[in-house]
């Protein structure tokens, strides 16, 4: 079947179900083996009214007429065209955020979420994942599968994001290079789909402090993107070098005056300063130090760099808020933006407000894990985990496309919500009614007798090998 490209402006402006039908038709064409069972498994995840705790109970849902054996066989032996599914998620309607110039722009967020598998000694390609337990200083390294997700953000406080891609970071892999390749693929897919055209505002990409935003800016320098990354407070940056001082001859300097983030005495006069009063954070003051670059040394991902190391200029943004929820004396937040000089104070405020919108992705991770059951299955094969991850993305995308069609089917103790304010959980509560009228390209199952399985009393003589645990490199 052909994937029908969606060129309509937004699903929120039209209450029809054709956007959802187009996605479901395209999804079925991306399932190239065990397509019926995989498609029905996606419907079962989206339609069930309770949190997904295991795979076997999904085979009891009305949307999955096949048995539990077909379900496990589809995950273990099925084939999903991940590239085609990525193109499908990037082709559909995506949210845009109003930029400082009054035009809508795409804002992407990238982050890693871990599928922890500490007891799966026979599962291959596990890495030590950095996790935070409750309490201060309770960071732990737990074996699991780290997945890098890319999503499109919406304007305003929302628990909705448009998931676009997911890539599992393998042991020993350069995490920065893998993220750069993932972002490059997504931006190219968005360009092919017509979401970005020449003359449009650059695509904004926000990320947390765990990323090497400077190296990512170097690897993605040829793309129309602006990267914004949070910085640790112990970072040091430098102003442009200028001309050599003194009468002696020698190599011209590469670094100017030093800017130590935690030392206010080293801060120069900011290029732009803005102040705003917000209901949640009180008075917010943002200062932009233009054309600041870090000192890059030949370690990590820069070790294989040929020639002289580059000087990557950007804007260092210091953000100070009056208070945070539960914290009346917050520390300043530091950002680095790949654009060397902000055009105006309006653009500066737009940058830090998009960093706040990045936290909407955390709501998506919680919904995927607690409601859709992304990390619940005890799968051994990492390829099966990849298939299940893409099915979760497909289920979440269908819920997002069904927002204008959903009504508020709330529980008795839940407060009523307007149809424009429905959360992913509220849409999922009524999605079964929407799915009944949607297109179903999967064929009906043929009744056959089940196989005999393993004879009673005979044990499995082929034991799985214990797999080593690796660790991805940050680069």
């Amino acid at each position: 079947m052909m994937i029908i490209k969606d060129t309509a402006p937004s699903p929120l402006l039209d209450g029809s179900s054709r956007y959802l039908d187009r996605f479901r038709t395209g999804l079925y064409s991306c399932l190239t083996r065990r397509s019926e069972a995989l498609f029905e498994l996606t419907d079962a995840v989206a339609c069930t009214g309770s949190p997904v705790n295991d795979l076997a109970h999904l085979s009891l849902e009305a949307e999955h007429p096949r048995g539990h054996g077909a379900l496990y066989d589809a995950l273990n032996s099925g084939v999903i065209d991940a590239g085609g599914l990525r193109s499908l998620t990037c082709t559909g309607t995506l949210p845009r955020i109003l930029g400082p110039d009054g035009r809508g722009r795409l804002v992407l967020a990238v982050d890693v979420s871990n599928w922890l598998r500490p007891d799966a000694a026979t599962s291959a390609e596990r890495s030590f994942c950095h996790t935070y337990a409750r309490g201060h200083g309770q960071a732990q390294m737990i074996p699991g599968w780290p997945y890098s997700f890319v999503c499109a953000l919406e304007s305003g406080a929302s628990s909705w994001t448009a998931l676009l891609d997911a890539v599992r970071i393998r042991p020993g892999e350069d995490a920065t290079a893998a993220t750069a390749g993932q972002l490059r693929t997504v931006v190219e897919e968005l360009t092919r789909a017509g979401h970005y055209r020449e003359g449009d505002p650059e695509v904004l990409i926000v990320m947390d402090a765990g990323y090497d935003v400077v190296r990512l800016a170097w690897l993605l320098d040829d793309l129309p993107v602006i990267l914004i990354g949070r910085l640790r407070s112990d970072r040091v940056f430098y102003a442009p070098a200028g001309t050599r001082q003194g009468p002696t001859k020698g190599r011209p300097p590469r670094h100017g005056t030093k800017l130590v983030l935690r030392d206010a005495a080293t801060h120069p006069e900011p290029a732009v300063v803005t102040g705003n009063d917000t209901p949640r954070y009180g008075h917010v003051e943002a200062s932009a130090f233009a054309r600041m670059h870090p000192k890059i040394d030949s370690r990590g991902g820069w070790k294989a760099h040929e020639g002289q190391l580059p000087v990557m200029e950007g804007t260092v943004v210091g953000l100070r808020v009056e208070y945070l929820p539960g914290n009346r004396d917050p520390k300043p937040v530091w950002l680095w933006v790949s654009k060397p000089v902000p055009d105006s104070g309006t653009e500066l405020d737009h940058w830090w407000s998009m960093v706040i919108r990045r936290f909407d992705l955390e709501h998506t991770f919680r919904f995927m894990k607690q409601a859709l059951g992304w990390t619940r299955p005890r799968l051994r094969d990492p390829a099966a985990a990849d298939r299940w991850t893409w099915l979760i993305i497909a289920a979440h995308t269908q819920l997002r496309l069904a927002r204008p069609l959903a009504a508020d089917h709330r529980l008795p103790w839940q407060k009523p919500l307007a149809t424009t304010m429905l959360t992913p959980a509220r849409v999922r509560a009524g999605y079964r009614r929407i799915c009944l009228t949607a297109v179903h390209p999967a064929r009906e199952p043929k009744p056959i007798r089940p196989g005999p399985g393993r004879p009673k009393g005979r044990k499995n003589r082929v034991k799985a090998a214990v797999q080593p645990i690796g660790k991805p490199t940050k680069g």
Side-chain angles (χ1 to χ4, degrees), residues 35-171:
S35 54
E36 282 78 14
L38 290 174
F39 186 87
E40 292 165 354
L41 176 58
T42 308
D43 277 353
V45 172
C47 292
T48 181
S50 58
V52 177
N53 292 318
D54 57 77
L55 292 175
H57 282 82
L58 288 176
S59 64
L60 303 179
E61 298 294 333
E63 291 73 21
H64 194 280
R66 290 166 173 81
H68 65 279
L71 184 150
Y72 283 103
D73 180 64
L75 283 179
N76 292 324
S77 304
V79 177
I80 298 179
D81 182 9
L85 192 50
R86 183 190 303 110
S87 300
L88 184 62
T89 56
C90 294
T91 299
T93 54
L94 297 178
R96 289 179 176 268
I97 297 179
L98 198 65
D101 57 353
R103 295 187 295 171
R105 77 187 313 171
L106 286 173
V107 180
L108 306 182
V110 57
D111 204 355
V112 172
S113 186
N114 301 316
W115 185 341
L116 301 181
R117 298 303 311 277
D119 300 328
T122 59
S123 293
E125 300 182 4
R126 289 185 304 161
S127 303
F128 282 106
C129 303
H130 191 266
T131 61
Y132 289 95
R134 293 186 177 181
H136 180 69
Q138 297 296 321
Q140 301 178 23
M141 301 296 289
I142 300 178
W145 292 316
Y147 279 86
S148 175
F149 289 88
V150 178
C151 73
L153 302 178
E154 294 188 0
S155 59
S158 173
S159 56
W160 287 98
T161 61
L163 291 172
L164 303 178
D165 189 30
V167 172
R168 178 168 48 86
I169 301 177
R170 291 170 171 79

Side-chain angles (χ1 to χ4, degrees), residues 107-110 153 204-208 228 351 354-355 358:
V107 180
L108 306 182
V110 57
L153 302 178
L204 213 60
I205 303 177
V206 294
M207 60 197 68
D208 206 1
I228 305 177
W351 286 347
M354 293 302 98
V355 174
R358 187 199 69 82

Side-chain angles (χ1 to χ4, degrees), residues 122-362:
T122 59
S123 293
E125 300 182 4
R126 289 185 304 161
S127 303
F128 282 106
C129 303
H130 191 266
T131 61
Y132 289 95
R134 293 186 177 181
H136 180 69
Q138 297 296 321
Q140 301 178 23
M141 301 296 289
I142 300 178
W145 292 316
Y147 279 86
S148 175
F149 289 88
V150 178
C151 73
L153 302 178
E154 294 188 0
S155 59
S158 173
S159 56
W160 287 98
T161 61
L163 291 172
L164 303 178
D165 189 30
V167 172
R168 178 168 48 86
I169 301 177
R170 291 170 171 79
E173 188 176 13
D174 187 347
T176 303
T179 304
Q182 182 185 22
L183 291 173
R184 179 178 295 277
T185 302
V186 170
V187 172
E188 291 175 352
E189 289 286 355
L190 294 174
T191 303
R192 280 193 291 268
H195 290 295
Y196 175 83
R197 296 181 176 89
E198 187 176 356
D200 290 347
E202 296 94 336
V203 179
L204 213 60
I205 303 177
V206 294
M207 60 197 68
D208 206 1
Y211 289 90
D212 188 353
V213 61
V214 177
R215 184 163 173 245
L216 281 174
W218 166 260
L219 295 173
L220 303 176
D221 183 60
D222 58 324
L223 295 180
V225 297
I226 297 177
L227 275 67
I228 305 177
R230 193 164 63 89
L231 301 172
R232 300 190 310 269
S233 59
D234 59 351
R235 295 291 298 273
V236 178
F237 289 83
Y238 297 86
T243 59
R244 182 176 177 80
Q245 303 294 328
T248 59
K249 297 180 180 181
R251 185 176 61 182
R254 304 193 69 202
H255 311 291
T257 57
K258 183 184 294 188
L259 167 63
V260 183
L261 298 186
R262 61 176 48 172
D263 186 3
T266 64
H267 296 179
E269 188 69 21
V272 181
V273 178
T274 62
N276 298 277
D277 292 325
T278 63
R280 184 173 179 83
Y281 308 106
H283 185 72
V284 179
E285 180 179 330
S287 304
F289 303 96
R291 299 189 62 189
M292 290 292 171
H293 66 272
K295 185 180 292 185
I296 300 174
D297 51 19
S298 56
R299 294 185 298 178
W302 297 101
K303 186 182 298 183
H305 183 81
E306 298 180 357
Q308 191 178 33
L309 293 172
V311 174
M312 297 297 298
E313 290 188 344
T315 303
V316 174
V317 179
L319 189 64
R320 292 174 173 82
V321 300
E322 186 177 355
Y323 54 82
L324 291 174
N327 187 0
R328 288 290 171 177
D329 188 20
K331 298 180 181 179
V333 177
W334 295 96
L335 312 172
W336 189 85
V337 187
S338 61
K339 187 174 182 179
V341 182
D343 294 334
S344 62
T346 306
E347 185 176 29
L348 175 61
D349 291 336
H350 178 68
W351 286 347
W352 66 259
S353 62
M354 293 302 98
V355 174
I356 296 177
R357 293 273 60 78
R358 187 199 69 82
F359 292 98
D360 295 343
L361 186 54
E362 303 296 336

